[in-house]
Amino acid sequence: MTYCVGLLLDAGIVLLSDTRTNAGLDNIATYRKMFVFEEPGDRVITILTAGSLSVTQTTMARLREIADDPDSTPETSIMKAETMLKVVDIVGAKLAEVRVDIGQKLSMLQAASASMIVAGQRRGGAMRMFLVYPEGNYIEATEDTPFLQIGEHKYGKPILDRVVTTHTSLKDAQKAVLLSMDSTLRSNLSVGMPLDLAIIERDDCRVSQRRRIEAGDESFRAMSEAWSGALRDGFSQIEL
């Protein structure tokens, strides 16, 4: 399983993913689930993936192959698409195509499904973020719901519901997604470190900050312990 989360804010976009993939208790591995396509100053597109590894890796490989093809067109390449809406159309169509292709090769007892978060900005356009479903359809983050999640999302959702708005600063947004991930790590063993964090500042059209957080990271551990302490203190102060 996995957990990926993205925040769409006035100041920019904050994205976080884990890297654990498992096919049973004795088959656990680490795979990157955050993929960046960018031409600094022109466009930046970040894709987070969850679900069947064969589906996600094949989809990303085909998207990358088309993006690197000099003969590709705005109708087929996310690096030439004229809008973020067209980008997510291309990603959704490719995900659905791969899902069906791989599904036909598997037995009826096996599932081939995946979902993605697509976020970014094209020069002159607005920042946008979408959740793409296995069938290729999608929903968009809005002012009312400025965050999207895929994978094991239930454990990390409460803090986002309580603290995140479109006016949240990028600094506080980093804290929110990391604490959301911390809650998930504590409650579900199928989600694991290292973590990939990316920040896209408004109108930068590039990944402004990028960080990999390894197991044992001191700042992440200190933040986790501080959050646990704050929760315990808050709990003890509440009167029945």
Side-chain angles (χ1 to χ4, degrees):
M1 201 56 181
T2 188
Y3 177 47
C4 300
V5 56
L7 310 186
L8 181 67
L9 312 168
D10 294 339
I13 296 170
V14 178
L15 302 153
L16 181 69
S17 68
D18 84 313
T19 55
R20 177 167 292 177
T21 298
N22 70 81
L25 295 177
D26 59 350
N27 187 10
I28 299 173
T30 296
Y31 286 94
R32 183 178 296 276
K33 301 170 188 175
M34 178 183 293
F35 301 87
V36 177
F37 298 76
E38 66 179 343
E39 187 175 330
D42 179 71
R43 73 184 64 208
V44 58
I45 301 161
T46 303
I47 302 176
L48 309 181
T49 66
S52 168
L53 194 62
S54 61
V55 174
T56 59
Q57 288 198 339
T58 301
T59 301
M60 296 312 303
R62 292 184 184 180
L63 288 171
R64 178 67 69 182
E65 183 178 48
I66 296 170
D68 292 341
D69 182 358
D71 296 325
S72 62
T73 70
E75 298 301 313
T76 61
S77 172
I78 62 175
M79 293 305 288
K80 293 180 180 179
E82 296 180 355
T83 65
M84 281 300 299
L85 186 61
K86 183 57 184 176
V87 167
V88 76
D89 279 335
I90 293 171
V91 174
K94 190 59 64 178
L95 175 59
E97 172 191 299
V98 170
R99 175 175 170 266
V100 171
D101 185 28
I102 291 179
Q104 290 175 344
K105 298 175 183 177
L106 298 176
S107 72
M108 295 297 292
L109 297 179
Q110 292 178 293
S113 184
S115 56
M116 298 181 172
I117 292 175
V118 180
Q121 185 177 19
R122 184 181 180 277
R123 184 179 58 194
M127 296 184 303
R128 301 181 78 172
M129 184 167 67
F130 304 85
L131 190 161
V132 185
Y133 294 106
E135 296 78 13
N137 56 320
Y138 50 83
I139 61 172
E140 183 172 7
T142 66
E143 185 173 347
D144 292 328
T145 308
F147 64 87
L148 296 172
Q149 302 166 282
I150 52 176
E152 280 290 352
H153 63 275
K154 56 184 176 290
Y155 305 106
K157 189 173 186 292
I159 185 174
L160 302 179
D161 284 331
R162 290 180 180 272
V163 306
V164 174
T165 72
T166 55
H167 307 306
T168 300
S169 69
L170 291 177
K171 182 177 180 180
D172 283 347
Q174 291 181 65
K175 190 191 311 181
V177 296
L178 288 169
L179 290 175
S180 176
M181 180 65 76
D182 179 63
S183 297
T184 306
L185 291 170
R186 285 175 174 268
S187 299
N188 194 306
L189 293 176
S190 70
V191 178
M193 299 180 80
L195 312 175
D196 287 316
L197 174 70
I199 299 170
I200 302 170
E201 295 183 23
R202 176 177 291 276
D203 297 329
D204 253 13
C205 290
R206 65 182 180 89
V207 174
S208 310
Q209 300 179 50
R210 194 169 183 179
R211 176 186 172 197
R212 170 156 280 206
I213 303 169
E214 300 285 351
D217 182 272
E218 285 298 320
S219 62
F220 184 78
R221 181 188 60 78
M223 185 195 65
S224 175
E225 292 177 355
W227 178 238
S228 294
L231 287 175
R232 286 192 294 268
D233 291 342
F235 178 81
S236 64
Q237 293 171 16
I238 295 175
E239 299 290 342
L240 286 176

